[in-house]
Amino acid sequence: MLDPGDPVPDVSAPNQHGESVTPDFSEPTVVFFYPEDFTKGCTVEASEFQESLSAFGELGVTVYGVSMDDVERHAEFAAAEGLAFDLLADPEGEVAEAFGVSTDLGYADRRTVLIADGEVRATYAPDPGGHASEVLDDARSEFGGE
């Protein structure tokens, strides 16, 4: 896993709409890796990021979810949960590998990275419940706000 201060790798992956996405890590960004669409913990985590999405937006922070699910599964998950942020499909684990996130068990470990100016600002190995609010609090401290 990357550490605070490490440069963030350039990555590209398709989102749930099949569009190629290359995040701009010079801007404030949250990338959360999660094991699998439609599982209990992952649904809780993604839903909480969705609930906080406008607050992240007010800080200028873009949110991305990444798992090893394919585009079609991400599309179903995003539609079912009303997710308005990009879910990046990483079926080969290339994005996870670039960030140093383990895929040894056939899915990405649950890890989150807070990024700005092309470098890691904070990393998390979270429990899914309440995690989005923890990251939001850190983003407020890091990027202004309350």
Side-chain angles (χ1 to χ4, degrees):
M1 182 69 189
L2 298 175
D3 293 315
D6 286 347
V8 180
D10 291 327
V11 296
S12 294
N15 67 8
Q16 67 267 36
H17 308 295
E19 303 160 341
S20 181
V21 174
T22 303
D24 179 1
F25 294 135
S26 67
E27 299 297 322
T29 308
V30 170
V31 179
F32 72 97
F33 292 87
Y34 64 98
E36 190 175 9
D37 293 337
F38 293 106
T39 57
K40 183 179 179 183
C42 298
T43 300
V44 166
E45 184 175 28
S47 295
E48 288 184 1
F49 273 106
Q50 179 60 42
E51 290 168 12
S52 300
L53 195 58
S54 64
F56 279 110
E58 289 170 10
L59 296 169
V61 178
T62 303
V63 174
Y64 296 95
V66 181
S67 80
M68 293 177 69
D69 291 297
D70 62 21
V71 169
E72 293 78 20
R73 183 112 169 134
H74 275 342
E76 293 168 6
F77 185 53
E81 300 303 322
L83 304 178
F85 53 86
D86 283 331
L87 297 178
L88 303 182
D90 188 28
E92 302 302 318
E94 295 168 351
V95 175
E97 181 181 336
F99 277 82
V101 174
S102 175
T103 59
D104 291 347
L105 298 176
Y107 54 82
D109 283 353
R110 189 179 313 279
R111 299 287 185 267
T112 300
V113 184
L114 182 61
I115 299 164
D117 300 321
E119 73 177 36
V120 175
R121 296 298 179 90
T123 61
Y124 310 83
D127 289 327
H131 173 55
S133 62
E134 173 189 16
V135 178
L136 181 58
D137 288 346
D138 288 351
R140 284 183 174 132
S141 295
E142 185 76 25
F143 307 121
E146 301 165 12

